[in-house]
């Protein structure tokens, strides 16, 4: 039995399903349409790949991107400069306001506020830490005041094990969020990171249902799935 079917069975009780016929960008565009998304919070933007995919798929609403690392942020700033509805912030998001340090990965995209584990580096050698960078940590609620974006909002979370801290710092913002796209680890990749079950439980506790899954990162050595991307939504009857 392949990995997608195993995941399909594992998540049936959450009401989720895995689609294999359409690419992720197409599936995301359909959800954005279904949930009437008007604005996107792009947390963990790197150089702006996610926002570019949204634009390529036809999304024309407001995008607010967050990227704490200086080198990717420079590229992100250049990408957003030609788009008047795309704002960028050079900050990391968390559950409190403080100074922190990011472990900078050789490939940059695996950089995290958490320490990368040897198992991660074994599966992806370019995820090894090559330095640290001091960053400012902010709560999403303090950076994006309630009501400052047109709702409904899509919240995208891709912050290498720090996703739930971002959620805990977004209590007010979540009132206007209809859809969440969140990276979830099945096995520990960063020290003390929450895993899939804890992530599911947190979103359930704040009124979001898991509605779709897609396979994310897998270990090319043995095909084992290490991460999945989950789409969560408020029941549409509860919106508005």
């Amino acid at each position: 039995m392949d990995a997608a079917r195993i995941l399909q069975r594992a998540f049936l009780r959450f009401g989720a399903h895995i689609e294999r016929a359409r690419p992720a960008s197409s599936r995301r565009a359909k959800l954005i349409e279904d949930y009437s998304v008007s604005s996107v919070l792009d947390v963990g933007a790197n150089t702006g790949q996610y926002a570019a995919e949204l634009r390529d798929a036809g999304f024309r609403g407001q995008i607010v991107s967050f990227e704490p690392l200086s080198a990717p942020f420079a590229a992100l700033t250049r990408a957003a400069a030609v788009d008047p509805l795309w704002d960028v912030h050079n900050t990391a998001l968390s559950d409190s306001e403080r100074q922190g340090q990011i472990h900078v990965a050789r490939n940059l995209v695996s950089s995290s506020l958490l320490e990368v584990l040897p198992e991660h580096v074994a599966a992806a050698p370019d995820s090894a830490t090559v330095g640290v960078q001091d960053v400012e940590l902010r709560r999403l609620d303090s950076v994006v005041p309630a009501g400052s974006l047109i709702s409904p909002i899509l919240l995208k979370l891709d912050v290498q094990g720090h996703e739930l801290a971002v959620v805990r710092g977004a209590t007010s913002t979540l009132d206007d969020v209809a859809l969440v796209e969140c990276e979830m680890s099945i096995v520990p990749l960063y020290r003390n990171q929450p895993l899939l079950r804890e992530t599911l439980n947190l979103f359930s506790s704040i009124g979001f249902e898991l509605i779709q899954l897609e396979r994310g990162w897998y270990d090319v050595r043995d095909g084992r799935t290490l991460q999945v991307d989950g789409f969560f939504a408020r029941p549409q009857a509860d919106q508005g």
Side-chain angles (χ1 to χ4, degrees):
M1 184 180 297
D2 64 25
R5 185 167 296 179
I6 291 171
L7 284 170
Q8 177 75 79
R9 290 187 174 185
F11 287 97
L12 279 176
R13 70 188 183 91
F14 291 99
H17 65 284
I18 296 176
E19 293 184 14
R20 303 178 64 182
R22 293 184 293 169
S25 58
S26 174
R27 190 168 85 183
R28 183 188 302 120
K30 181 63 165 58
L31 287 172
I32 285 174
E33 178 183 355
D34 289 347
Y35 285 84
S36 303
V37 169
S38 295
S39 306
V40 173
L41 292 167
D42 172 22
V43 183
N46 195 246
T47 61
Q49 304 95 314
Y50 184 86
E53 282 190 8
L54 292 177
R55 292 298 192 226
D56 288 345
F59 179 70
R60 296 293 176 261
Q62 183 78 34
I63 300 174
V64 183
S65 294
F66 299 85
E67 173 53 47
L69 291 181
S70 54
F73 183 74
L76 175 66
T77 301
R78 290 192 295 271
V82 298
D83 188 334
L85 291 179
W86 185 3
D87 298 323
V88 298
H89 294 268
N90 187 203
T91 188
L93 296 179
S94 190
D95 53 2
S96 63
E97 313 263 324
R98 63 187 190 277
Q99 295 297 308
Q101 284 191 327
I102 286 189
H103 300 85
V104 181
R106 182 178 295 113
N107 63 10
L108 294 181
V109 296
S110 298
S111 303
S112 176
L113 289 161
L114 306 178
E115 179 185 350
V116 67
L117 293 176
E119 294 85 347
H120 190 164
V121 178
D126 278 351
S127 66
T129 298
V130 295
V132 295
Q133 180 180 314
D134 293 331
V135 295
E136 180 185 23
L137 304 182
R138 302 285 307 278
R139 296 175 69 250
L140 184 56
D141 282 347
S142 68
V143 181
V144 181
S148 62
L149 294 178
I150 300 174
S151 61
I153 294 170
L154 161 62
L155 171 62
K156 169 260 191 178
L157 299 168
D158 183 2
V159 287
Q160 310 306 312
H162 205 63
E163 286 81 6
L164 299 195
V166 176
V167 171
R168 289 191 289 268
T171 305
S172 298
T173 305
L174 286 170
D175 289 341
D176 292 325
V177 171
L179 193 64
V180 178
E181 182 177 351
C182 182
E183 183 178 77
M184 303 182 289
S185 289
I186 296 173
V187 300
L189 299 173
Y190 298 92
R191 193 171 304 282
N192 298 323
Q193 76 170 117
L195 297 180
L196 188 146
R197 184 177 297 277
E198 185 178 348
T199 303
L200 294 174
N201 289 340
L202 177 77
F203 278 111
S204 177
S205 72
I206 59 176
F208 284 85
E209 300 176 340
L210 179 65
I211 57 169
Q212 285 190 9
L213 282 172
E214 68 175 66
R215 188 183 189 187
W217 179 42
Y218 65 95
D219 191 333
V220 296
R221 299 172 300 176
D222 57 15
R224 179 179 59 156
T225 300
L226 304 176
Q227 291 178 327
V228 293
D229 291 326
F231 289 90
F232 297 83
R234 294 190 188 278
Q236 288 187 300
D238 295 344
Q239 296 179 41

